[in-house]
Amino acid sequence: RTHREKVESALADPQVAELTFDGYFGPTTVGETLLRFYVFDMIAHRWDVASAAGLDLRFTDDELTQMETAADGFGDALYSEGVCERIDIPDDADRQTRLLARLGRRSDQR
């Protein structure tokens, strides 16, 4: 809750989202980083929590698109040590299963 409150407070000022900095992939803004990584992370971990609870969470098409776009943008950095494990993707897998495998997750294991 404390973290959420701090983020909400910072983003209440529209200028914060426009602040620039040198990010891992080069110059970027706080807003772009929140959209490309922070939201990506929240969506991915929502599946992790649901899966750990034994629930079958299905992403929307928009969420899948957002996650795929982010993963494309991360390139091979996605597979840096401690980030995501490379997992074989079955040829006949549905879109969500393919995405989860790209993110080092096995949707058939709970």
Side-chain angles (χ1 to χ4, degrees):
R1 282 182 250 185
T2 301
H3 175 77
R4 178 184 47 84
E5 289 168 2
K6 288 184 184 247
V7 170
E8 285 177 350
S9 175
L11 294 177
D13 178 353
Q15 293 179 340
V16 169
E18 296 176 19
L19 292 173
T20 60
F21 69 98
D22 243 354
Y24 184 80
F25 297 104
T28 189
T29 66
V30 170
E32 191 65 25
T33 298
L34 288 172
L35 288 173
R36 298 245 181 244
F37 178 75
Y38 196 82
V39 173
F40 165 88
D41 213 37
M42 296 295 227
I43 294 170
H45 291 311
R46 190 177 83 226
W47 183 87
D48 296 333
V49 171
S51 179
L55 303 173
D56 183 24
L57 181 120
R58 301 301 300 177
F59 295 128
T60 66
D61 285 337
D62 287 344
E63 288 171 330
L64 287 167
T65 298
Q66 184 173 7
M67 299 287 285
E68 291 162 343
T69 300
D72 290 345
F74 298 148
D76 284 336
L78 187 60
Y79 303 108
S80 299
E81 186 175 343
V83 182
C84 291
E85 172 187 351
R86 289 187 187 270
I87 294 179
D88 292 331
I89 303 170
D91 292 337
D92 63 344
D94 66 15
R95 185 177 177 195
Q96 178 162 317
T97 302
R98 287 192 312 271
L99 170 67
L100 290 169
R102 276 183 81 184
L103 303 179
R105 290 155 170 87
R106 291 176 176 86
S107 62
D108 59 343
Q109 294 179 350
R110 298 216 186 273

